[in-house]
Amino acid sequence: MTRITVAKGDGIGPEIMDATLEIILAAGAKLEIDEIEVGEKVYLAGNTAGIAAESWETIRRNKVFLKAPITTPQGGGYKSLNVTTRKFLGLYSNVRPCTSLHPFVSTKHPVMDIVIVRENEEDLYAGIEHQQTDEVVQCLKLISRPGCEKIVRYAFEYAKQQNRKKVTCFTKDNIMKQTDGLFHQVFDEIAKEYPEIENEHWIIDIGAAKMADTPELFDVIVMPNLYGDVLSDVAAQITGSVGLAGSANIGEECSMFEAIHGSAPRRAGQNVANPSGLLQGAIMMLNHIGQTEIAEKVQNAWLKTLEDGTHTYDIFKEGTSKQKLGTKEFAKAVIENLGKKPSILKSVSYANNAALNLPKYNRKPAAKKELVGVDIFVHWSGSNPNELAEKVKRIESNGIKLSMITNRGIKVWPDGFRETFCTDHWRCRFKPNEGTEIQKTSIIELLKSAANENIDTIKTENLYSFDGKAGYSLGQGQ
Ligand code: NAD
């Protein structure tokens, strides 16, 4: 018996959750259920997080959470409960299988069978954003070595367990050499530990195009958070329907399982919604808690039901479908098929599908870290970079010199192009003369002088080398 937390959510949530629970309990799932309230009602009662403190206690105690979609009210500073839950509970891995069900669900990609493994906690989703000048706002993209190692290892362990042949990594490290560069580097390091699994890296743009065009080329694909967010929806959509995909959010201690679609408020209360996405989430949950036989039984019954042509309205198609069913009737059809297997679609076997047990992250020995310069960002409304250089050069001291100015990353001084468009947000890079050292106190001196010269400094970024290797990007055009 496993005790789990269930939230029925908003819109079509309660209907698809009831259908899902009915199916898995009929299949023999051994569950004790604690139900909590999350979503719209909680938000509108004035709780901007969409969840009460005592509900967190239930989730943390039970560790396994099955969640129906919720409606996040527009405006009013409401926080996305999904993002909060993933981060609070350390659910670093988002796993989303996207498999075609041809010929029973129409798709342009009949042999597609891929799994997107998306990093779930960091990247631009750290949500650290600042307005720095009248014209420029920034969002901090944070990629960590532990974050990369955990997700990449998860992808390889998952591939190994599921007998999958290849893990592909998507990044944009030709542009983001530090952040995406780290993700790619860790991918290459960890791939070496799994010689039996093929590995490859694609630049995300062409990789995504290829995935949308010929998904049969891919097997497991691992990627940072933002790319994974976008591409996992693309992958689910091109199987034929987003309404059919579920996802697992896995952490070291806790896990959350859900459908990928939203609360479809316009369909609520009409007994028409397709419970399949949430059911897929629930099947991943059953595997995760070790009830793999039940998971297998439910999945095979579900495949058989689709094969029988008994479909909800969203996938109903004259010719292929035989019967249009409501939510409750569809659940009943799946229950009647428990114990049966599909004959055209491939039946599943989940014999080795229990939760993956990954090693804890081991912190690496610290590298030799040296301060080698500083970028001082300046809010300045002029347009001629040479004028700014002249002004900023007045603060040079202790052998530390202005070496470059960029605007939105492109070098505009020295030797900039007149054609380059400039905003009011300038990065002034200071480096010590050859043989001179730079200290933290020299940076403070620079900032003091800037204040005296009425230069509006908005932030600094220290430039470091790690074991002699530059830990910062060059200016574009430098
Ligand atoms: P949606 O996924 O709710 O609906 C998109 C379309 O798909 C609609 O036409 C809907 O009728 C259809 N659809 C979705 N699920 C279906 C199902 N199971 N059966 C049949 N048809 C289905 O997306 P949306 O309309 O953009 O968002 C509605 C609300 O859901 C918003 O408040 C949004 O914030 C929320 N949302 C929640 C989650 C979540 O909790 N995980 C995810 C996405 C969106």
Side-chain angles (χ1 to χ4, degrees), residues 341-372:
K341 286 188 175 173
S343 45
I344 300 163
L345 293 170
K346 213 166 132 233
S347 64
V348 297
S349 160
Y350 290 152
N352 349 304
N353 258 24
L356 294 172
N357 205 350
L358 266 64
K360 285 246 187 275
Y361 175 74
N362 263 329
R363 185 163 276 169
K364 309 285 174 292
K368 181 160 183 263
K369 179 180 167 193
E370 285 173 287
L371 186 63
V372 296

Side-chain angles (χ1 to χ4, degrees), residues 370-384:
E370 285 173 287
L371 186 63
V372 296
V374 63
D375 281 345
I376 299 182
F377 290 76
V378 171
H379 181 176
W380 183 62
S381 305
S383 56
N384 182 349

Side-chain angles (χ1 to χ4, degrees), residues 59 86 114 125 148 152 158 164 178 183 195 213-214 336 396 400 412 423 459-460 476:
I59 294 176
R86 288 170 187 163
I114 67 185
Y125 290 62
C148 296
V152 171
Y158 180 87
R164 288 183 171 261
Q178 295 290 327
F183 196 94
D213 182 59
T214 29
E336 276 165 18
E396 290 179 340
I400 296 162
V412 292
T423 67
K459 76 159 188 170
T460 60
Q476 284 157 353

Side-chain angles (χ1 to χ4, degrees), residues 279-416:
L279 184 66
Q280 289 302 303
I283 291 168
M284 286 194 257
M285 175 189 79
L286 291 171
N287 274 321
H288 185 78
I289 60 178
Q291 300 191 20
T292 53
E293 272 176 42
I294 313 287
E296 185 178 308
K297 194 167 159 190
V298 175
Q299 179 71 353
N300 284 329
W302 177 72
L303 291 169
K304 172 85 170 72
T305 309
L306 294 180
E307 208 176 82
D308 290 344
T310 35
H311 294 166
T312 42
Y313 85 92
D314 54 315
I315 56 166
F316 187 87
K317 199 164 176 229
E318 287 304 338
T320 340
S321 307
K322 297 217 170 64
Q323 230 190 328
K324 195 188 280 182
L325 300 183
T327 315
K328 285 185 184 145
E329 295 71 29
F330 181 80
K332 206 176 277 165
V334 177
I335 291 169
E336 276 165 18
N337 279 332
L338 286 169
K340 297 186 194 150
K341 286 188 175 173
S343 45
I344 300 163
L345 293 170
K346 213 166 132 233
S347 64
V348 297
S349 160
Y350 290 152
N352 349 304
N353 258 24
L356 294 172
N357 205 350
L358 266 64
K360 285 246 187 275
Y361 175 74
N362 263 329
R363 185 163 276 169
K364 309 285 174 292
K368 181 160 183 263
K369 179 180 167 193
E370 285 173 287
L371 186 63
V372 296
V374 63
D375 281 345
I376 299 182
F377 290 76
V378 171
H379 181 176
W380 183 62
S381 305
S383 56
N384 182 349
N386 295 326
E387 259 174 55
L388 179 63
E390 213 169 284
K391 196 171 154 77
V392 168
K393 273 170 135 326
R394 284 186 226 136
I395 70 171
E396 290 179 340
S397 60
N398 301 322
I400 296 162
K401 292 256 159 57
L402 179 68
S403 71
M404 169 183 83
I405 300 178
T406 67
N407 194 293
R408 291 186 300 176
I410 179 91
K411 188 188 74 171
V412 292
W413 182 92
D415 310 321

